[in-house]
Amino acid sequence: MPLFRLGDQGPAVAEIRTILAGQGLLATTGGRHAAHVPATDVFDDDTDHAVRAFQQQRGLIVDGVVGPSTYRVLREASYQLGARVLLYRLSAPMVGDDVATLQNRLQNLGYYTSLVDGVFAETTHDAVCLYQSEYGLAADGICGPATLRSLDRLGTRVTGGSPYAIRQEEHVRRSGPQLSGKRIVIDPGSGGLHDLSDGPTAELESRLLWDLAARLEGRMAAAGMETFLSHDGRGRPGDDERARVANMIDADLMISLRCGHYPNPSANGVATFYFGNSHGSYSTIGRNLAGFIQREVAARTPLTDCRSHERTWELLRLTRMPVTLIDVGYITNPDDAEILGDPDYRNVIAEAILVAVKRLYLLGENDRPTGTYTFADLLAAEEIS
């Protein structure tokens, strides 16, 4: 789809403004929401500010540009529970805020135990069927008027808690502290979120990230872990394809390696990301791993600590296992590029990531201060175990 930004005009811009008004982000000078007046079709300063606010709220890259990702989330935000019949479609799952609201309600009632991601997948279908069967409704998994009336009559009796988070944490605890046998998907290279045109920067990024992935893969193999790559390096598969491959492998974790990009070359540092959305749902293990990786890399390298953040990017949302995406430095910053170009620092980053994974499974037991656990210590611990 085309990109829409400041100064554009047309029916698509009018649709964007209408959705933003419905979210309460676009107001008239009189203080009333623009939803009460006809939407214009001009992408003006107010629209630009509203788009940026929406992107910030929804865990998107804040650039004021409505591209495929932002437009997708805008459309999802326009759906309110009850506006359409919800059902499971295998080839094209229904996605939207209405689905997330339904998942939240079913979770509070104890029927839905997966991530509140706004995707009507098989787990949501099964939860609806279970609810319908226990409340005397036709258990067809379709959330139509009868099911909605039933949910409305029940109201919200219990709130809080996350069965998904409890299940994730229990899975890590039961799998034990040993790394041997753990299945990890390594996702290197540009494409998807950071899709660049061919050129020297893209070639440099690809070369550095594939080299980093190889170093990480070698160290994980030495620790007895099973490693898989999300793609073969030919072409640039999208984030949905990478997620599909990871789900087919049924891995324990996925670690995605990226480089940061920004028009201003002063932007620098390392940052990590995990799934989290405006509905209050996030990947507990993804967040824990992102935090461990962030602290280890920042402690062992000169890279600026840009901290960990929750995002709703497709790679993070569509994977069934915990995922951490790492921006290992800004390829557009000369200092960061120099650090990433040093093989010794790539070794340090690879070991920092592996140590962070070990710390995740240690659950705080027999752990060591950040930046002090060495690769040799890790291998020795694996042999003892």
Side-chain angles (χ1 to χ4, degrees), residues 53 58 81 88 97 116-118 120 146 152 181 214 229 237 267 269 274 282 284-285 292 301 306 308 343 379:
R58 297 288 173 144
L81 187 61
Y88 178 41
D97 278 17
V116 177
D117 56 7
F120 201 111
D152 287 339
L229 293 172
Y274 58 94
Y282 60 87
T284 303
I285 300 304
F292 287 139
T301 70
C306 295
S308 298
L379 292 180

Side-chain angles (χ1 to χ4, degrees), residues 4-52:
F4 299 97
R5 51 168 57 89
L6 188 63
D8 288 339
Q9 187 173 355
V13 175
E15 180 190 14
I16 292 168
R17 286 177 56 91
T18 299
I19 296 174
L20 291 170
Q23 296 294 305
L25 296 172
L26 204 56
T28 64
T29 55
R32 296 165 55 209
H33 294 309
H36 301 297
V37 297
T40 65
D41 62 354
V42 178
F43 202 123
D44 55 13
D45 287 334
D46 289 340
T47 306
D48 178 77
H49 295 154
V51 168
R52 292 175 186 273

Side-chain angles (χ1 to χ4, degrees), residues 37 41 51 99 139 197 224 367 370 380:
V37 297
D41 62 354
V51 168
V99 178
S197 58
D367 204 353
T370 300

Side-chain angles (χ1 to χ4, degrees), residues 191-193 237-244 258 313-315 318:
L193 175 64
D239 285 351
D240 54 346
E241 177 63 18
R242 296 167 189 253
R244 187 187 68 82
R258 297 289 194 276
W313 298 329
E314 289 288 81
L315 184 70
L318 297 179

Side-chain angles (χ1 to χ4, degrees), residues 179-182 219-226 379 382:
L179 294 181
S180 179
K182 301 291 193 298
R219 284 159 176 75
M220 286 185 166
M225 306 174 79
E226 292 185 68
L379 292 180
E382 290 295 308

Side-chain angles (χ1 to χ4, degrees), residues 159-330:
T159 60
S162 172
Y164 178 76
I166 295 171
R167 191 171 61 181
Q168 272 196 332
E169 292 168 350
E170 180 62 12
H171 177 75
V172 169
R173 188 191 68 80
R174 293 184 64 179
S175 65
Q178 266 191 297
L179 294 181
S180 179
K182 301 291 193 298
R183 297 164 61 86
I184 310 293
V185 174
I186 302 174
D187 174 41
S190 59
L193 175 64
H194 292 321
D195 193 10
L196 299 175
S197 58
D198 291 329
T201 301
E203 292 176 5
L204 174 62
E205 178 185 16
S206 181
R207 178 174 59 81
L208 293 177
L209 291 179
W210 275 96
D211 180 80
L212 177 59
R215 294 169 192 266
L216 178 59
E217 185 178 26
R219 284 159 176 75
M220 286 185 166
M225 306 174 79
E226 292 185 68
T227 59
F228 307 85
L229 293 172
S230 63
H231 61 108
D232 60 7
R234 301 171 185 172
R236 291 176 181 165
D239 285 351
D240 54 346
E241 177 63 18
R242 296 167 189 253
R244 187 187 68 82
V245 170
N247 290 337
M248 289 176 58
I249 293 171
D250 192 25
D252 296 296
L253 299 171
M254 182 176 186
I255 296 174
S256 185
L257 305 172
R258 297 289 194 276
C259 287
H261 307 81
Y262 200 69
N264 187 337
S266 297
N268 69 95
V270 57
T272 52
F273 305 90
Y274 58 94
F275 178 80
N277 59 27
S278 59
H279 306 292
S281 184
Y282 60 87
S283 170
T284 303
I285 300 304
R287 183 181 68 172
N288 292 347
L289 180 58
F292 287 139
I293 292 174
Q294 184 66 30
R295 291 192 291 272
E296 289 291 340
V297 174
R300 296 165 188 256
T301 70
L303 294 165
T304 301
D305 185 355
C306 295
R307 298 180 293 179
S308 298
H309 310 271
E310 59 182 34
R311 291 291 184 267
T312 58
W313 298 329
E314 289 288 81
L315 184 70
L316 304 176
R317 179 168 74 160
L318 297 179
T319 43
R320 290 197 294 265
M321 73 290 300
V323 183
T324 293
L325 188 151
I326 314 164
D327 272 353
V328 295
Y330 278 76

